[in-house]
């Protein structure tokens, strides 16, 4: 292999790595503490149980574990006639995922009909607005 082919290969490899690193975040980097829409509605794939209503889905960049980190603010309302517990999963296009249960602990009971539960999910290693998002909200069996 001659010298020019080796140089071209290195330049191409560096360019591809840079392009790959940039695809994880949208071009907009919001200011820390500022609440913003996580993505365009067309970029959010929502699968929500019929017993749930998504009341809030927003993002904020704030300090977590010593670094600026993306946080998802999620509020889910129980629109059924029974007490419920919901499982929330959020998947990002870059392979990261977060989620948990609402309410986290059931010592104080489940979510009553008409009540709303909120939680903020941090995404370690992400400090900008995500691109595409898959959001799943399911009911937990009793």
């Amino acid at each position: 292999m001659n010298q020019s082919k080796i140089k071209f290969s290195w330049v191409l490899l560096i360019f591809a790595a840079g392009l790959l690193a940039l695809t994880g975040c949208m071009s907009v980097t919001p200011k820390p503490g500022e609440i913003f829409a996580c993505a365009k509605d067309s970029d959010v794939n929502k699968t929500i149980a019929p017993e749930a209503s998504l009341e809030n889905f927003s993002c904020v960049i704030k300090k977590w574990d010593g670094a600026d980190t993306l946080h998802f603010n999620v509020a889910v309302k129980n629109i059924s006639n029974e007490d419920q517990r919901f499982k929330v999963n959020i998947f990002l296009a870059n392979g990261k995922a977060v989620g948990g249960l609402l309410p986290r602990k059931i010592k104080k009971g489940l979510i009553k009909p008409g009540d709303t539960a909120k939680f903020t999910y941090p995404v370690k290693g992400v400090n900008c607005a995500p691109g595409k998002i898959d959001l799943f909200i399911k009911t937990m069996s009793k």
Side-chain angles (χ1 to χ4, degrees), residues 61-86:
I61 304 283
K62 57 185 177 180
K63 289 279 186 198
W64 184 73
D65 230 9
D68 284 344
T69 304
L70 175 70
H71 289 70
F72 287 103
N73 299 319
V74 179
V76 178
K77 182 177 184 177
N78 180 3
I79 57 173
S80 71
N81 294 329
E82 299 178 7
D83 294 357
Q84 296 287 344
R85 188 175 196 194
F86 299 106

Side-chain angles (χ1 to χ4, degrees), residues 112-123:
K112 304 283 183 212
D115 287 349
T116 301
K118 301 174 188 176
F119 194 74
T120 301
Y121 300 98
V123 186

Side-chain angles (χ1 to χ4, degrees), residues 14 22 28-29 35 48 50 54 59 92 99 106 112-113 123 128 137:
I14 291 170
L22 291 176
V28 177
T29 303
I35 296 175
I48 301 173
L54 184 63
C59 288
L92 305 182
I106 57 172
K112 304 283 183 212
V123 186
C128 57
I137 301 174

Side-chain angles (χ1 to χ4, degrees), residues 86-90 98-104 119 121 136 140:
F86 299 106
K87 181 178 181 181
V88 177
N89 292 106
I90 303 168
V98 294
L101 300 173
L102 286 176
R104 285 186 53 229
F119 194 74
Y121 300 98
F136 296 95
M140 297 294 295

